[in-house]
């Protein structure tokens, strides 16, 4: 990445655009504000924060796990859309950054990311024209994307020819599964797509892509078996493409979100002459919900589990009836698609019980908790992918469990 461009984020001036930032910080740069040593209590609610110690722990834990397993890691940058966190992941040994579309790719190129894996098909002619210019301007820039049909190959080839492409765009045949998301559904069709890629002068077949997370959503035996069967089909396709001379040594084989990367290692890790790349993205932040329950490092695939690095903070604004409190944070502030926020503690008073039973745009319904109007409740959250998109600037605390947490960084996002 372009370290200078990432460092320049520290010179951005704070103002009303950033809902996490108090008015007392307006007019200061990020660096100037951090130099004041702001405390958590100086920030308003609702609020999303990160924990510095948990981020570092997760970063090193995943890097060490991949090194031991002999796998590459191209973390899915869409989880955070935070260039400073991408830089940390690359510094820890990541092979590249995974993204999903042209708008995310433009952010990555704005910060100089040089190896990008697009876990999607790129068919938009306008975007492909821009990509041609980027590839021509930077010989060190590498971008791999997916295709799952001969029609997609034809559309890409047509758009790239029209844009005057000189460097072939690297693509992966995507293999899917019944009931899953995108991807060729059978090996024979995948072979046809691979041959179409090989025949297109503007494209180069670079490997195979897939996503097992679309086929399972828990860690039950049946789900784990379905994931393994799917990964075995990827291995079969790899051997067929190699046998037909369509894949060279060092071809990329990529799968592995944040839920089943241990199975990717077990099934695909031994493929001969393959560059096996995981795309896990949620590991860096982890959570107190979905990933806490399904992560391989919770299920025994590693000696050390990830730690949740994100928390919500919301204030009790109303207690209109016995057993019910309304918090001032809701769908606009915290993720809710993979489970509702979980109350953990009240600032200054310790652990709290109760349950969040529903969320509106700006409120959470907290029932059965011993709280008073004005209390600030820390919430455990589920699914980082839908947490970051609600915040343009996320404060990082030195220790979210401390009696008086301090803000040590501000993470800028670009959604």
């Amino acid at each position: 990445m372009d370290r200078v461009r990432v460092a320049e984020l520290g010179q951005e001036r704070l103002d009303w655009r950033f809902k996490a930032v108090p008015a007392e910080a307006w007019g200061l740069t990020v660096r100037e504000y951090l130099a004041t040593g702001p405390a958590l209590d100086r920030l308003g609610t609702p609020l999303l924060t990160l924990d510095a110690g948990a981020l570092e722990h997760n970063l090193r834990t995943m890097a060490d796990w991949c090194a031991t397993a002999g796998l590459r890691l191209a973390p899915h940058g869409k989880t955070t859309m935070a260039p400073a966190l991408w830089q940390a992941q690359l510094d820890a040994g990541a092979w590249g950054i995974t993204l999903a579309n042209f708008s995310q790719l433009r952010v990555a190129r704005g910060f100089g990311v040089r190896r990008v894996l697009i876990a999607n098909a790129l068919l938009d002619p306008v975007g492909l024209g821009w990509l041609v210019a980027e590839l021509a301007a930077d010989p060190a820039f590498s971008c791999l994307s997916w295709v799952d049909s001969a029609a997609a190959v034809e559309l890409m080839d047509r758009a790239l020819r029209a844009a005057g492409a000189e460097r072939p765009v690297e693509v992966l045949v995507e293999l899917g599964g019944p009931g899953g998301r995108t991807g060729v559904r059978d090996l024979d069709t995948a072979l046809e797509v691979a041959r179409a890629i090989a025949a297109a002068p503007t494209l180069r077949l670079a490997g195979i892509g897939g996503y097992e997370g679309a086929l399972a959503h828990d860690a039950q035996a049946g789900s784990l078996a379905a994931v393994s069967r799917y990964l075995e089909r990827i291995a079969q396709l790899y051997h067929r493409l190699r046998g037909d001379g369509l894949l060279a040594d060092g071809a990329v084989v990529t799968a592995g979100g944040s839920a089943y990367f241990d199975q990717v290692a077990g099934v695909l890790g031994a493929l001969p002459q393959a560059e096996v790349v995981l795309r896990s993205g949620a590991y860096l932040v982890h959570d107190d919900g979905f990933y806490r329950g399904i992560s391989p490092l919770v299920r025994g695939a590693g000696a050390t589990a990830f730690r949740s690095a994100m928390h919500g903070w919301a204030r009790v604004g109303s207690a209109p009836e016995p057993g019910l409190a309304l918090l001032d944070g809701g769908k606009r502030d915290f993720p809710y698609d993979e489970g509702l926020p979980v109350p953990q503690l009240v600032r200054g008073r310790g652990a709290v019980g109760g349950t969040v039973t529903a969320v509106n745009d700006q409120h959470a319904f907290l029932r059965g908790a011993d709280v008073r109007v004005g209390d600030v409740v820390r919430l455990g959250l589920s699914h980082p992918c839908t947490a970051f998109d609600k915040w343009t600037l996320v404060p990082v605390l030195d220790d979210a469990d401390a009696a008086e947490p301090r803000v040590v960084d501000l993470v800028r996002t670009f959604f």
Side-chain angles (χ1 to χ4, degrees):
M1 289 183 69
D2 184 342
R3 293 179 180 276
V4 173
R5 180 69 185 90
V6 175
E8 286 173 351
L9 292 172
Q11 296 302 320
E12 187 166 17
R13 292 212 171 268
L14 302 173
D15 56 29
W16 51 267
R17 294 171 297 158
F18 307 110
K19 67 180 183 178
V21 174
E24 65 189 39
W26 293 359
L28 300 177
T29 67
V30 169
R31 284 201 185 95
E32 290 169 344
Y33 177 59
L34 293 175
T36 69
L40 173 63
D41 285 344
R42 300 302 299 173
L43 305 181
T45 56
L47 183 67
L48 176 75
T49 64
L50 299 173
D51 182 282
L55 286 174
E56 179 64 21
H57 167 81
N58 295 343
L59 185 74
R60 297 300 167 189
T61 297
M62 190 62 174
D64 291 346
W65 192 93
C66 288
T68 300
L71 305 183
R72 300 287 194 179
L73 175 64
H76 217 320
K78 72 174 176 63
T79 300
T80 65
M81 287 305 294
L85 296 181
W86 297 350
Q87 180 70 74
Q89 292 170 304
L90 290 167
D91 286 348
W95 176 87
I97 296 294
T98 297
L99 297 167
N101 54 42
F102 278 121
S103 64
Q104 295 173 7
L105 179 57
R106 287 192 290 269
V107 174
R109 290 302 292 156
F111 286 88
V113 179
R114 286 196 163 179
R115 181 185 281 136
V116 178
L117 175 60
I118 303 293
N120 213 338
L122 296 179
L123 303 183
D124 171 32
V126 175
L128 287 170
W130 171 80
L131 177 60
V132 166
E134 286 291 300
L135 290 169
D138 185 358
F141 171 43
S142 172
C143 179
L144 299 84
S145 68
W146 294 2
V147 291
D148 69 355
S149 67
V153 172
E154 181 180 356
L155 288 170
M156 284 192 76
D157 182 52
R158 185 187 309 162
L160 292 170
R161 286 172 183 264
E166 296 180 358
R167 287 178 59 188
V169 173
E170 297 181 295
V171 292
L172 311 179
V173 175
E174 182 191 359
L175 183 67
R181 204 160 59 188
T182 54
V184 174
R185 293 308 201 243
D186 63 86
L187 301 189
D188 288 339
T189 305
L191 194 61
E192 293 174 6
V193 174
R195 288 174 177 149
I197 295 167
T202 61
L203 302 175
R204 186 181 80 81
L205 180 61
I208 302 168
Y211 178 52
E212 73 291 341
L215 304 176
H217 206 66
D218 56 47
Q220 299 299 314
S223 296
L224 298 180
V227 168
S228 290
R229 288 193 297 272
Y230 168 68
L231 295 172
E232 287 163 1
R233 292 178 62 241
I234 290 181
Q236 293 168 12
L237 177 58
Y238 177 77
H239 289 300
R240 287 190 64 175
L241 294 178
R242 290 275 292 177
D244 283 9
L246 291 168
L247 285 184
D249 290 353
V252 171
V253 178
T254 178
S258 296
Y260 307 106
F261 56 79
D262 57 331
Q263 291 177 267
V264 175
V267 177
L268 303 181
L271 288 178
Q273 308 303 321
E275 189 86 271
V276 180
V277 181
L278 297 177
R279 302 190 310 278
S280 313
Y283 77 90
L284 181 63
V285 177
H286 199 51
D287 68 10
D288 281 310
F290 176 70
Y291 286 109
R292 183 182 64 182
I294 201 172
S295 168
L297 300 195
V298 173
R299 294 188 278 108
T304 305
F306 297 130
R307 292 161 46 191
S308 178
M310 68 174 179
H311 299 94
W313 305 83
R315 195 177 309 270
V316 178
S318 176
E321 60 187 61
L324 172 65
L326 279 300
L327 306 181
D328 65 357
K331 293 180 180 180
R332 303 285 186 176
D333 311 296
F334 308 130
Y336 57 92
D337 58 312
E338 291 288 358
L340 296 176
V342 177
Q344 295 180 330
L345 57 84
V346 174
R347 288 279 292 134
R349 291 174 52 203
V352 64
T355 304
V356 173
T357 58
V359 286
N360 294 155
D361 281 359
Q362 311 293 169
H363 295 93
F365 291 71
L366 175 59
R367 297 184 183 274
D370 180 19
V371 294
R372 301 185 290 263
V373 171
D375 282 345
V376 174
V377 180
R378 191 182 83 183
L379 301 166
L381 304 176
S382 180
H383 202 199
C385 297
T386 50
F388 278 72
D389 61 340
K390 298 167 176 58
W391 297 85
T392 51
L393 206 61
V394 184
V396 181
L397 305 179
D398 56 353
D399 182 358
D401 291 325
E404 297 295 336
R406 316 286 306 184
V407 180
V408 295
D409 202 358
L410 294 172
V411 170
R412 184 73 156 90
T413 68
F414 294 86
F415 283 93

